[in-house]
């Protein structure tokens, strides 16, 4: 069954890609969507039927892949609770996106290609989450990178779409370079890329290094033989594991759009809206979170690496939320929200609350996919308009979409008893209970981000659905509700956004935690975060709810009671407004440091190196001189007899003169 779950999207991709033009767009849509629905149903069956407490990790070998020296890699599926959670998330959201796309893309002439790319994306993600070794995981890792490039640049006739696809591909390659080095490091240290071998070795290394604060133990054993040689340094056990974990996290920063490697994510909005829902809700951006959760036994060997993860996650949660405050494109607001929520997940991972991180990944998939597909329904209703400043007053025209957007907003902001309320609050409480140097920083940043999230989320709702219509009369005249093929996926996701937290909290984080996870996440004696997070002060427990209510109140005042106030504040603080509107100038900084310098270097090598040196002095220069000589020699061949006689006479005279001088010598 599990092999079938992974292969069904691949079959859909092959059918749509190879035979799409022959069978037509409708058949391509129905085949790929039907196979994804079947995969989603089988994933839920596996998730529910997997035993609680006695469900052993399954290892299903599909084929023997490669063997080179000590490197022995089989294509093998690792089925445990973490894998099953990801299978449910990926296949459920992907199936709903497939169905939604039947309605959203019905005017596009390249639907077979689009649905083929969607299925390829899903297959790559399933390969990643079911991998039982790091090489297979990296194959899926690169596969989602390739598929994202194809989907973001799907409308390849738009220069902006091509630029966004290239940006996503290049930025992710930066992170993937670190991930690849981390895999090499693990192979050097543990002699294998197989996860079971690595986790067993990590357990032994943790015991020899003294458990908690492994680096300190590593420093104490500095006289021992170094465990790893890296960048010219000899690293002991603690230093080696810190370097490896930071390299692995570098890969996660690229895939999950953490600050510094985040710039590709908002530009990915150039792709069709269903692509945004798939990339930002359940697949590509969650790959980094999943990888850190999967490798939690390794990350427990480096307290410093986990501290750095906490810092980056907290900074990203705050940073992305501040940018979301002033964005005007409805999809970009939700994209920066995704970036911010991923920061929350990394805060949880950094403090050791792995269950809370995966729980937020699980609930976030439902309400974020709901928000993206709801935004697509809005865009569909207003004839492709994405600027919220040109919307307003839509709630009476598209009430079903409005209701679903409200549900998604409530869940995102953490309204009591919605999905986000349980998972986001669990992260904030875990950060407060955390013990690393940046745990309190993580708590403060996530609480502030909760306020900002509530503000920009309700700002989106008020600007889009409330107030007077700001679109033209012609656009408002044609505003219409989406067809059922687009609304049904919204309803399903709405149920998940409301109930996923309430239903699954006892298993992910409650009393059934140990039986539910059954060793799929690290749960060593040093990890007290789950217990301690349940005993934080009441003010900490209520702080995200208070911030949620305050954010709603401020958004109501700014965009319902006094709509002119935002413009007045922007006019009074032009520097801050432009700083946020221009996304902290990261793109401009990278353009100056990397893009312009690379272009300058390329132009210099072209003009000075290639043209001035190689062309002038190299093969082109030599060939030009040969042509000059031959052209002059050719001029001697006139065809006149007296010219040849004259040359012969000169030759005879020269020969006689030479012989005379030779005789004198």
């Amino acid at each position: 069954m599990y092999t079938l779950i992974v292969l069904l999207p691949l079959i859909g991709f092959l059918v749509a890609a190879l035979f799409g033009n022959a069978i037509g767009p409708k058949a391509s849509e129905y085949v790929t969507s039907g196979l994804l629905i079947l995969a989603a149903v089988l994933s839920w069956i596996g998730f529910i039927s997997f035993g609680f407490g006695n469900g052993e990790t399954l290892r299903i070998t599909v084929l023997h892949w490669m063997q080179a020296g000590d490197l022995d890699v089989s294509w093998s599926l690792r089925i445990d609770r973490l894998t099953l959670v990801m299978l449910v998330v990926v296949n459920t959201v992907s199936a709903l996106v497939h169905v939604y796309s039947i309605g959203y893309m019905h005017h596009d002439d390249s639907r077979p290609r689009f649905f083929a790319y969607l299925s390829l994306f899903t297959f790559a993600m399933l390969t990643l989450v079911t991998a039982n070794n790091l090489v297979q995981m990296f194959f899926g890792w690169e596969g989602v990178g390739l598929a994202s490039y194809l989907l973001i640049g799907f409308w390849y006739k738009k220069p902006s779409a091509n630029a966004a696809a290239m940006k996503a591909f290049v930025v992710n390659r930066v992170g993937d370079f670190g991930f690849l080095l981390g895999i090499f490091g693990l192979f050097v240290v543990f002699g294998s890329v197989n996860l079971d071998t690595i986790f067993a070795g990590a357990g032994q290394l943790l015991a020899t290094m003294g458990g908690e604060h492994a680096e300190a133990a590593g420093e104490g054993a500095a006289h021992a033989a170094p465990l790893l040689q890296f960048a010219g340094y000899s690293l002991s056990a603690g230093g080696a594991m810190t370097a490896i974990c930071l390299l692995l996290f570098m890969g996660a920063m690229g895939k999950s759009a953490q600050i510094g490697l985040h710039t590709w994510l908002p530009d990915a909005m150039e792709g069709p809206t269903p692509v945004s829902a798939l990339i930002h809700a359940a697949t590509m951006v969650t790959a980094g979170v999943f990888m850190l959760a999967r490798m939690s036994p390794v990350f427990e060997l480096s307290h410093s690496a986990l501290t750095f993860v906490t810092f980056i996650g907290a900074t990203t949660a705050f940073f992305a939320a501040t940018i979301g405050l002033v964005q005007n494109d409805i999809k970009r607001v939700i994209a920066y929200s995704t970036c911010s929520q991923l920061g929350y997940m990394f805060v949880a991972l950094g403090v050791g609350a792995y269950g809370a991180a995966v729980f937020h990944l699980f609930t976030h998939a439902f309400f974020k996919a709901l928000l993206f597909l709801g935004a697509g329904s809005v865009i569909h209703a207003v004839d492709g308009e994405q600027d919220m400043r040109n919307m307003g007053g839509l709630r009476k025209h598209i009430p079903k979409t409005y209701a679903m957007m409200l549900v998604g907003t409530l869940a995102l902001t953490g309204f009591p008893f919605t999905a986000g309320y349980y998972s986001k609050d669990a992260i904030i409480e875990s950060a407060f209970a955390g013990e690393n140097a940046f745990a309190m920083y993580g708590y403060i940043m996530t609480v502030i981000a909760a306020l900002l999230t509530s503000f920009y989320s309700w700002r989106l709702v008020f600007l889009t659905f409330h107030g007077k219509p700001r679109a033209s009369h012609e656009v408002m005249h044609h505003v219409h509700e989406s067809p059922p093929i687009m609304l049904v996926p919204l309803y399903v996701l709405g149920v998940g956004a409301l109930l996923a937290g309430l239903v699954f909290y006892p298993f992910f984080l409650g009393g059934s935690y140990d039986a539910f996870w059954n060793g799929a996440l690290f749960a060593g004696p040093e990890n007290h975060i789950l217990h301690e997070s349940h005993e934080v002060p009441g003010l900490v427990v209520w702080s995200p709810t208070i911030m949620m209510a305050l954010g709603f109140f401020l958004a109501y005042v700014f965009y319902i009671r006094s709509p002119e106030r935002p413009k007045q504040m922007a006019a009074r603080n032009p520097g801050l407004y432009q700083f946020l509107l221009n996304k902290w100038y990261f793109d401009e900084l990278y353009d100056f440091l990397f893009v312009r310098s690379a272009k300058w270097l390329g132009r210099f090598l072209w003009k000075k190196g290639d043209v001035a040196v190689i062309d002038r002095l190299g093969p082109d220069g030599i060939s030009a001189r040969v042509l000059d000589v031959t052209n002059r020699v050719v001029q001697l061949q006139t065809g006149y007899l007296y010219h040849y006689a004259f040359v012969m006479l000169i030759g005879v005279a020269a020969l006689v003169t030479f012989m005379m001088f030779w005789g004198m010598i």
Side-chain angles (χ1 to χ4, degrees):
M1 180 178 74
Y2 297 112
T3 305
L4 186 62
I5 291 173
V6 176
L7 293 180
L8 283 173
L10 177 61
I11 296 171
F13 161 69
L14 293 175
V15 170
L18 299 178
F19 309 108
N21 292 332
I23 64 179
K26 282 292 181 186
S28 298
E29 293 170 347
Y30 294 149
V31 168
T32 54
S33 300
L35 291 174
L36 255 297
I37 291 172
L38 178 58
V41 171
L42 293 176
S43 298
W44 278 102
I45 292 173
F47 179 79
I48 295 171
S49 62
F50 194 77
F52 280 62
N54 56 3
E56 296 183 1
T57 299
L58 302 178
R59 297 162 184 84
I60 305 170
T61 301
V62 179
L63 56 87
H64 189 75
W65 192 5
M66 66 179 81
Q67 184 171 5
D70 294 333
L71 181 65
D72 189 356
V73 180
S74 295
W75 196 280
S76 177
L77 308 183
R78 183 184 185 88
I79 307 299
D80 58 9
R81 182 60 68 184
L82 179 59
T83 303
L84 290 169
V85 169
M86 295 303 298
L87 289 179
V88 164
V89 168
V90 172
N91 284 323
T92 301
V93 173
S94 183
L96 294 172
V97 167
H98 273 73
V99 174
Y100 178 93
S101 299
I102 295 175
Y104 190 86
M105 301 292 290
H106 73 283
H107 289 308
D108 200 286
D109 295 331
S110 301
R111 281 173 286 166
R113 180 166 59 91
F114 180 77
F115 280 84
Y117 290 168
L118 285 183
S119 294
L120 175 64
F121 199 116
T122 307
F123 167 70
M125 190 66 188
L126 295 180
T127 301
L128 192 160
V129 302
T130 58
N132 195 38
N133 62 75
L134 293 173
V135 175
Q136 184 180 338
M137 184 184 291
F138 190 74
F139 177 87
W141 192 272
E142 293 303 296
V144 293
L146 169 63
S148 69
Y149 169 79
L150 296 173
L151 285 168
I152 294 168
F154 176 75
W155 287 321
Y156 57 86
K157 294 183 180 180
K158 292 172 57 180
S160 57
N162 288 327
M166 286 295 296
K167 188 175 184 178
F169 196 81
V170 171
V171 172
N172 273 276
R173 298 294 74 72
V174 175
D176 294 352
F177 177 69
F179 185 34
L180 197 58
L181 289 179
I183 293 174
F184 294 160
L186 288 173
F187 180 73
V188 170
V189 172
F190 298 109
S192 175
V193 293
N194 185 277
L195 294 182
D196 290 318
T197 304
I198 292 173
F199 295 160
Q204 296 173 2
L205 195 59
L206 184 65
T208 60
M209 292 168 63
E212 191 175 10
H213 304 298
E215 292 85 348
E219 292 169 4
H223 60 277
L227 191 64
L228 182 68
Q229 298 284 340
F230 180 72
Y233 293 93
S234 298
L235 302 177
S236 62
M241 297 316 301
T242 296
I244 290 171
C245 289
L246 289 176
L247 289 169
L248 294 175
F249 180 56
M250 182 177 171
M253 287 177 65
K255 273 292 180 288
S256 296
Q258 294 302 282
I259 187 169
L261 295 178
H262 69 282
T263 52
W264 67 269
L265 186 139
D267 289 8
M269 298 300 101
E270 290 291 339
T273 300
V275 172
S276 304
L278 190 60
I279 291 177
H280 294 132
T283 52
M284 184 170 172
V285 296
T286 61
V289 177
F290 164 79
M291 186 266 285
L292 256 70
R294 172 64 80 201
M295 304 303 293
S296 55
V298 175
F299 274 83
E300 283 293 324
L301 293 169
S302 174
H303 185 76
S304 296
L306 289 176
T307 302
F308 183 71
V309 171
T310 306
F311 170 75
I312 292 294
T315 305
T316 303
F318 171 76
F319 149 79
T322 61
I323 298 175
L325 297 175
V326 298
Q327 295 301 303
N328 297 310
D329 186 308
I330 186 171
K331 288 170 64 177
R332 284 180 179 260
V333 174
I334 305 173
Y336 277 108
S337 170
T338 299
C339 188
S340 180
Q341 296 303 306
L342 290 165
Y344 274 87
M345 299 177 205
F346 281 107
V347 168
L349 292 167
V351 299
Y354 304 109
V358 179
F359 188 34
H360 196 50
L361 183 158
F362 179 79
T363 60
H364 175 264
F366 291 103
F367 58 74
K368 189 52 60 68
L370 175 60
L371 287 171
F372 267 117
L373 296 185
S377 184
V378 171
I379 296 167
H380 180 268
V382 294
D383 197 28
E385 180 61 66
Q386 295 184 199
D387 194 326
M388 297 183 296
R389 295 172 295 183
N390 298 327
M391 299 181 188
L394 295 178
R395 61 191 175 96
K396 295 180 181 179
H397 299 273
I398 47 175
K400 296 175 183 177
T401 298
Y402 172 62
M404 291 299 98
M405 288 292 284
L406 277 182
V407 170
T409 300
L410 289 171
L412 172 61
T413 58
F415 189 82
F417 309 114
T418 60
Y421 169 75
Y422 290 95
S423 56
K424 182 191 288 187
D425 287 21
I427 290 176
I428 292 175
E429 292 164 11
S430 298
F432 183 85
E435 299 173 352
N436 70 46
F438 279 102
M440 187 54 63
Y441 172 77
Y443 167 73
I444 295 171
M445 289 293 103
T446 51
V447 169
I448 296 174
L451 168 64
L452 302 179
T453 300
S454 181
F455 180 86
Y456 67 65
S457 298
W458 288 110
R459 171 179 177 265
L460 183 152
V461 171
F462 294 148
L463 281 177
T464 304
F465 296 101
H466 291 261
K468 296 180 180 180
R470 294 179 295 277
S472 66
H473 176 74
E474 182 181 356
V475 171
M476 293 303 298
H477 180 70
H478 291 94
V479 170
H480 57 284
E481 187 63 270
S482 298
I485 194 72
M486 293 172 63
L487 290 176
V488 170
L490 296 184
Y491 299 151
V492 176
L493 291 169
V495 173
L498 288 175
L499 300 179
L502 181 66
V503 172
F504 291 101
Y505 177 83
F507 304 107
F508 278 84
L509 294 174
S512 303
Y513 179 91
D514 292 333
F516 179 77
W517 288 112
N518 195 30
L521 299 175
F522 179 84
E526 297 81 16
N527 189 357
H528 303 298
I529 300 301
L530 178 65
H531 174 71
E532 294 176 0
S533 66
H534 292 157
E535 299 181 352
V536 297
L539 182 60
V540 174
V541 175
W542 283 99
S543 57
T545 304
I546 294 170
M547 291 300 174
M548 178 270 298
L550 180 58
F552 170 80
F553 174 75
L554 291 175
Y556 177 79
V557 170
F558 272 61
Y559 296 98
I560 300 296
R561 292 290 300 274
S562 305
E564 71 286 348
R565 186 169 295 184
K567 293 183 180 179
Q568 295 172 353
M569 285 196 65
R572 287 197 300 267
N573 303 278
L576 177 61
Y577 177 72
Q578 289 298 322
F579 180 70
L580 298 180
L581 189 64
N582 288 284
K583 302 161 290 189
W584 288 32
Y585 292 102
F586 266 96
D587 284 306
E588 290 77 5
L589 178 63
Y590 288 175
D591 183 67
F592 174 77
L593 292 178
F594 304 116
V595 179
R596 292 185 188 178
S597 58
K599 286 182 178 179
W600 178 88
L601 179 61
R603 192 175 295 110
F604 174 81
L605 293 175
W606 168 38
K607 293 290 187 181
K608 303 299 183 183
D610 193 15
V611 176
V613 177
I614 296 176
D615 288 353
R616 187 170 298 174
L617 303 178
D620 285 355
I622 295 172
S623 63
R625 301 292 77 76
V626 171
L627 286 174
D628 289 342
V629 172
T630 55
N631 286 334
R632 295 179 184 277
V633 171
V634 166
Q635 292 175 2
L636 299 176
Q637 306 295 323
T638 63
Y640 294 111
L641 184 60
Y642 57 84
H643 285 169
Y644 300 148
F646 178 71
V647 171
M648 292 173 62
L649 182 60
I650 293 175
V652 170
L655 181 61
V656 171
T657 303
F658 174 77
M659 294 302 294
M660 290 175 59
F661 278 104
W662 182 262
M664 292 174 63
I665 295 173

